[in-house]
Amino acid sequence: MTANHVTEHDQAPLARLKAVVSFETLSIAILVGLALFTGAAAAQPTGGGGGSTDGWEAILGNLYNVLYITLQYAGLTVLVLGFIVWLTARNNSQRSETGMKLTIGGGAMVVAYFGLGALISLLEFIAG
């Protein structure tokens, strides 16, 4: 056995116990949090006359806003970072390739940002 080869059986039992307890504690905390902070199911009718779509519209509106803002700021950040890495690569081909990929990815995110706005406008027009 070499000095660098450490198997799971060689680990200290306390370290293995700590890893298991941490995972189980986190799992239990998540389940308790979900049980305490979740409300009634969204599929239940309100007022006895059927369900309402107001909750779903608010959820979809919030999801749209989060996605739209994320695409805007993350896309512009990655685009600028890609340009900086690409233009400062000098003779390093690996860094130049990484910068080019970041630039293309950031550009795609910016295009998706504008495309998402156009797609949502089209869907709103169709829906009336």
Side-chain angles (χ1 to χ4, degrees):
M1 182 192 300
T2 62
N4 293 335
H5 183 65
V6 177
T7 63
E8 183 179 332
H9 190 26
D10 295 337
Q11 291 178 349
L14 184 60
R16 284 185 287 167
L17 179 64
K18 183 178 178 183
V20 171
V21 169
S22 297
F23 177 74
E24 289 176 353
T25 305
L26 180 63
S27 300
I28 290 171
I30 289 172
L31 289 174
V32 169
L34 284 172
L36 291 176
F37 295 115
T38 54
Q44 293 178 349
T46 56
S52 173
T53 61
D54 290 339
W56 287 108
E57 289 176 3
I59 291 171
L60 290 176
N62 290 340
L63 182 65
Y64 168 74
N65 287 334
V66 167
L67 182 64
Y68 205 63
I69 291 171
T70 302
L71 279 174
Q72 179 184 10
Y73 290 114
L76 290 175
T77 303
V78 170
L79 183 68
V80 169
L81 180 66
F83 272 129
I84 291 171
V85 170
W86 191 10
L87 295 176
T88 60
R90 297 191 186 215
N91 293 331
N92 189 343
S93 63
Q94 182 67 31
R95 184 172 172 167
S96 176
E97 183 179 345
T98 302
M100 183 176 59
K101 288 179 182 178
L102 284 172
T103 303
I104 291 171
M109 288 176 76
V110 170
V111 169
Y113 166 74
F114 290 111
L116 182 65
L119 177 67
I120 295 299
S121 296
L122 177 65
L123 292 175
E124 287 176 349
F125 175 74
I126 292 172

